[in-house]
Amino acid sequence: MNFRTFDLNLLRVFDAVMTDGSLTRAAQSLAMTQPAVSHALKRLHAAVGEPLFVRGAAGMTPTPRAEAVWPQVRTALAALRGALAPEAYRPDRDAATFRLAMVDATAARLMPPMVQTIERMQALANLRVLPLSTRDPRALIERGDADLAVGYFPQAITAIQAAGAQGALRHRRLHETEYVCVMRRGHPLAGRALTLDAFCAAHHLLVSFSGRPRGFVDEALSALGRQRRIVLTVNQFFVAGRVVCGSDLLTVLPAGFVDATGMADALLTVPLPFALPRVQVEMVWHLRRDDDAAHAWLRRLVVDAAQA
């Protein structure tokens, strides 16, 4: 490739197609015609010496080479844009709608301070909380179905960290908590140290966002050669709190999420009789939104809410 004669405008087209996933949407964002975008891609492929996209039923699929070079291309374009035409986002002037994927307990913690800030600033931001039914939000973010995902994503965060700066996803830790056993006040096991035998002999409620019949607790018990009986599986912390405070079921929740059940005064938390990893709540977003001024404002809003 002869970089001296390379048309740098082709990188803008490349970035737009990577971001939008289709020639039509890329053409709209670039204020170009679709044939012009298609021709630019052909020139880009010729300059690079290989195709960077493959046309498929779902749109333009990037090749591994395209995925590998996109982070550097996007970073370079953002640096140029910031130097030549810095963007400013005014939340009290610029309307924006943000989609945040999170479970009910996370929303119960973050939404009140976020809404208070929006109202205090008279911001024109609209928030849409989407249900989160997975411990791995990468596909959700990569498809653009959500602007931000917040939760405990141990496997996804490990993969994002392994990809490093070359990867398409970014993350930031918001806060850390630990798992505790939760029971109603007056439960037969209340008032004494919870043993492993007593824990396994009790009946349990499992909070599973995806509906899976096993969770972190069951994996830990299996490693110890033990198991428990799960009487009920639900996908909301609020429902878990309502059931546990009116029954003799035990459940295991992140300590920081007990308040989100709405029944914290009727519940008792005790240490688990075995070890579990700490719960590290993270927010995850896509590289394509990294330098977006409005999205940066949203991320600061989330961080401030988590600290509050």
Side-chain angles (χ1 to χ4, degrees):
M1 175 181 169
N2 186 350
F3 192 76
R4 293 178 59 188
T5 60
F6 181 74
D7 185 355
L8 295 180
N9 283 316
L10 299 181
L11 296 181
R12 294 181 59 245
V13 175
F14 169 73
D15 179 59
V17 177
M18 286 292 294
T19 299
D20 297 318
S22 81
L23 293 183
T24 300
R25 289 193 294 270
Q28 292 172 345
S29 65
L30 292 168
M32 297 171 61
T33 65
Q34 183 172 328
V37 172
S38 179
H39 179 66
L41 283 186
K42 290 179 182 178
R43 292 174 56 206
L44 178 62
H45 293 170
V48 174
E50 63 179 284
L52 295 178
F53 297 95
V54 177
R55 190 187 298 273
M60 302 298 289
T61 302
T63 65
R65 176 76 184 282
E67 294 280 9
V69 302
W70 187 36
Q72 291 94 330
V73 169
R74 188 162 184 82
T75 299
L77 289 174
L80 288 172
R81 185 165 49 247
L84 300 176
E87 296 180 5
Y89 171 69
R90 284 271 306 274
D92 61 337
R93 178 196 64 191
D94 304 325
T97 296
F98 301 109
R99 299 160 300 163
L100 301 93
M102 60 185 70
V103 299
D104 65 317
T106 306
R109 284 178 60 104
L110 297 182
M111 288 303 109
M114 289 178 68
V115 169
Q116 290 170 9
T117 300
I118 288 173
E119 292 187 330
R120 184 178 69 252
M121 297 178 64
Q122 297 184 331
L124 301 179
N126 304 313
L127 306 180
R128 291 178 54 199
V129 177
L130 309 179
L132 186 63
S133 60
T134 177
R135 289 286 188 191
D136 189 346
R138 285 178 292 173
L140 186 73
I141 298 297
E142 288 169 349
R143 292 195 306 266
D145 294 337
D147 300 303
L148 198 67
V150 181
Y152 179 40
F153 314 125
Q155 295 179 345
I157 297 302
T158 299
I160 293 171
Q161 290 173 335
Q166 308 301 318
L169 299 180
R170 299 291 181 262
H171 75 101
R172 174 167 175 171
R173 183 167 300 170
L174 297 175
H175 64 89
E176 188 173 299
T177 184
E178 62 183 354
Y179 281 111
V180 292
C181 181
V182 182
M183 63 185 75
R184 67 174 177 86
R185 296 187 181 276
H187 191 284
L189 295 178
R192 51 195 172 102
L194 182 63
T195 66
L196 182 59
D197 287 339
F199 181 88
C200 293
H203 291 173
H204 293 261
L205 178 150
L206 169 66
V207 179
S208 173
F209 312 134
S210 64
R212 290 179 60 232
R214 289 169 57 86
F216 296 116
V217 171
D218 303 287
E219 294 171 1
L221 289 176
S222 179
L224 297 173
R226 308 295 292 267
Q227 62 182 7
R228 61 175 177 164
R229 183 190 170 200
I230 298 173
V231 175
L232 176 65
T233 300
V234 301
N235 65 353
Q236 292 183 328
F237 289 95
F238 175 77
V239 174
R242 291 295 298 266
V243 172
V244 169
C245 75
S247 71
D248 283 340
L249 297 185
L250 303 182
T251 192
V252 176
L253 303 178
F257 288 176
V258 174
D259 285 344
T261 65
M263 302 288 161
D265 292 342
L267 298 174
L268 180 69
T269 63
V270 298
L272 289 168
F274 52 91
L276 280 181
R278 289 183 64 81
V279 182
Q280 296 164 341
V281 179
E282 311 252 1
M283 65 175 176
V284 177
W285 67 96
H286 202 281
L287 170 68
R288 60 175 169 257
R289 305 303 303 275
D290 206 33
D291 298 309
D292 183 291
H295 198 276
W297 178 84
L298 170 67
R299 299 195 301 269
R300 288 195 300 271
L301 190 67
V302 173
V303 170
D304 290 345
Q307 292 175 346

